[in-house]
Amino acid sequence: MNRKNLFTVALLALLSLTLPVVSFAAVELLNVSYDPTRELYQDFNSAFGKYWKKKSGQDLTVKQSHGGSGKQARSVIDGLEADVVTLALAYDIDEIHDKAKLIPENWQKRLPLNSSPYTSTIVFLVRKGNPKHIKDWNDLVKPGVAVITPNPKTSGGARWNYLAAWAYALKQKGGNDAKAKEFVTKLFKNVPVLDSGARGSTTTFVQRGQGDVLLAWENEAFLAVNELGKDKFEIVVPSLSILAEPPVSVVDKVVDRKGTRKVAEEYLKYLYTPEGQEIAARHYYRPTDKKVAAKHAKTFAKVKLVTIDKEFGGWRKAQTTHFADGGVFDQIYSPTK
Amino acid sequence: MHVAGGLKKTKSTKQGRGLGEPALVRWLLIAVTIGFLALFLLVPLAAVFSQALEKGWETYLAALHEPDTLAAIKLTLLTATISVPLNLVFGVVAAWGIAKFDFPGKSFLITLIDLPFSVSPVVSGLIYVLLFGLQGWLGPWLQAHDLKIIFAVPGIVLATIFVTFPFVARELIPLMEAQGREEEEAALTLGASGLQTFLRVTLPNIKWGILYGVILCNARAMGEFGAVSVVSGHVRGSTNTIPLQVEILYNEYNFAAAFAVASLLALLALVTLVVKTVAEWKVRQELANN
């Protein structure tokens, strides 16, 4: 009996805790994002906060949550109350529609440029002096080269890495799907460890000194070089890479319930303004605004970029073909070699 | 030299206690144990503190004053303040019931109490996502009533309570069973009420055991990573506890700050060890006095 009362008391105590969370906050947004955008959104939030204060007089706090892109989408599906999601790839936001119906199916059409205010690409990070002479994708399949990349099953960045390698093989003379599969298989034979997220792989390469080359987001590679020493690492830009479009969306069901739609939409639109683009460029995301892009043209190497829509028929198709259970990645990668 | 000295000792112990291991074996075992302890416990512990203080006291203190870190410390303290007393009450009640009374299903109850020990913390976290998540059983109802459980403080508290559930009870049950029921029975025959018996007889006997259990429970409550990570949502400044904050700082290449925050947990561990040693010693004394 005693225990039953105790349980009731405990439950009441817990419920009472939820009250302050529910009651009147000023304006607060939650941006659920993927791993490498922490620094970008820290800057962007304070800039947008000032802009919004001027425009509406409201004090705005933007809270951030970061993690592997797929995992973050899962949290939103399970009820993490994100006003906006800014994830690594469109498929993860598609999942929020498919599994929880929190956003409409056509979410990606609502903002310009496939709802991707900034883009990025995949580059190589190598150790200073490039001791293994890694210049392009075909150097990655040579014996004795250890490649660090996260797991495509869990990491958005890793899926871009994988598709970039595939696209490279397709574009070679006589390239076809079978050849590409063989190439990517060989590449993954050279991968000693798969971390679950992009940041984890960077730490493995940079901090723990494993591997000869890290396949990384361009912005992540820049950040690693800047934070941890220009004398230790070099960025190598391959002959061809993939145009990575990390998309953004308002989470309709959440903003409508919380009454934050207006500010949330404004927040995302601000990413497209010259101010927003400038902040993105400063954090090494490729700006889509022509003027800002021209200003930062020196930072970003010119590289031939293929797109997911043209080369792979969009994310849904790429996901089913390559990364779903039993897909191509499952066929070519076995942890016990 | 050691061997000679050891041999003599072997002889004396042989006579004294009847142990027959050669000295070399004993020394080897002791050396292995100490070496193992040093390698796996002392070196990492020292590393945490040296890394934390690598850039000096000022950076160390600044790292602890950072708003998100402060929020994480507050949340961790809040979580422990709620979950430890609840588990203390539960633990004492359960141990009292199990050790002093006989009833059908007793061993099943003990098994249930042990459940959180045998379940992986990640699974414990997922249980709550399945129950309270938007796609879970109670999720839609909770949302309709604007109640947040997971990805908010209540979820973190619930997961912590689950994980630290057995600590107090597990500590008290063997102690109370060893002490037996005679004293309580004597008190009852002399006319004491149930509550009086508990407060005047049982409680003084188990106070050190309780302290020990509470300390262990608290250490786990503050240090839990897996279960809390699953239900946290990782919102900065609101749903990160100290262990989660350590991971975030480490991933942001902010190593000094990560280790500074980690050193708080290491300090907690050291305090726990000291109190634990004292409490254990007291428990043994009490048993001996009985």
Side-chain angles (χ1 to χ4, degrees), chain A residues 2-3 6 9-11 13-15 17-19 21-22 28 30 32 35 38-39 42 63-66 71-72 74-81 99-100 102 199-200 202-203 206-208 220 223-224 227-228 253-254 257-258, chain B residues 68 78 82 86 89-90 93-94 97 109 126 129 132-136 142-143 145-155 157-158 161 165 229-230 232-240 247-255:
Chain A
N2 214 340
R3 213 167 300 120
L6 193 72
V9 171
L11 203 68
L14 280 171
L15 289 180
L17 272 173
T18 60
L19 295 177
V21 183
V22 176
E28 193 180 286
L30 174 60
V32 171
D35 258 328
R38 299 163 205 255
E39 293 80 9
Q42 250 160 33
K63 301 237 160 178
Q64 292 172 253
S65 167
H66 298 271
K71 198 183 97 193
Q72 292 292 82
R74 185 72 237 182
S75 292
V76 173
I77 291 166
D78 281 329
L80 180 58
E81 298 200 308
K99 297 247 157 65
L102 297 176
R199 203 39 83 80
T202 314
T203 318
V206 164
Q207 210 52 35
R208 294 178 25 217
E220 187 77 1
L223 183 74
E227 290 276 324
L228 300 150
K253 284 259 172 75
V254 175
R257 196 152 36 79
K258 283 168 66 177
Chain B
D68 283 355
L78 174 71
I82 299 170
L86 286 178
V89 174
F90 166 77
V93 171
L109 182 62
L126 280 177
V129 175
F132 300 118
L134 198 51
Q135 313 303 317
L142 286 168
Q143 199 191 42
H145 293 76
D146 227 349
L147 292 169
K148 280 197 222 173
I149 303 281
I150 57 164
F151 307 126
V153 177
V157 173
L158 273 176
I161 290 178
F165 198 65
S229 177
V230 175
S232 144
H234 307 276
V235 182
R236 283 147 184 256
S238 355
T239 63
N240 280 323
E247 192 204 22
I248 285 180
L249 290 169
Y250 185 78
N251 278 342
E252 285 178 354
Y253 307 118
N254 201 344
F255 302 115

Side-chain angles (χ1 to χ4, degrees), chain A residues 32-34 69 72-73 85-89 92-93 96 245-248:
Chain A
V32 171
S33 194
Y34 61 112
S69 187
Q72 292 292 82
V85 283
T86 54
L87 295 177
L89 44 89
D92 289 330
I93 303 187
I96 298 174
E245 295 174 305
V248 301

Side-chain angles (χ1 to χ4, degrees), chain B residues 250-271:
Chain B
Y250 185 78
N251 278 342
E252 285 178 354
Y253 307 118
N254 201 344
F255 302 115
F259 281 104
V261 180
S263 74
L264 289 182
L265 290 174
L267 273 179
L268 173 74
L270 290 180
V271 172

Side-chain angles (χ1 to χ4, degrees), chain A residues 134-201:
Chain A
I134 294 157
K135 293 265 152 52
D136 208 348
W137 292 99
N138 54 355
D139 295 317
L140 302 182
V141 299
K142 287 182 180 157
V145 173
V147 182
I148 303 293
T149 171
N151 190 342
K153 288 276 183 180
T154 51
S155 155
R159 274 174 260 173
W160 290 113
N161 292 347
Y162 170 103
L163 293 175
W166 189 282
Y168 169 85
L170 271 185
K171 296 276 175 184
Q172 300 311 297
K173 249 191 203 149
N176 54 32
D177 275 344
K179 287 249 174 74
K181 186 172 173 182
E182 197 191 314
F183 181 81
V184 176
T185 309
K186 259 165 102 185
L187 196 159
F188 272 91
K189 284 239 162 69
N190 278 347
V191 177
V193 51
L194 288 175
D195 284 291
S196 69
R199 203 39 83 80
S201 276

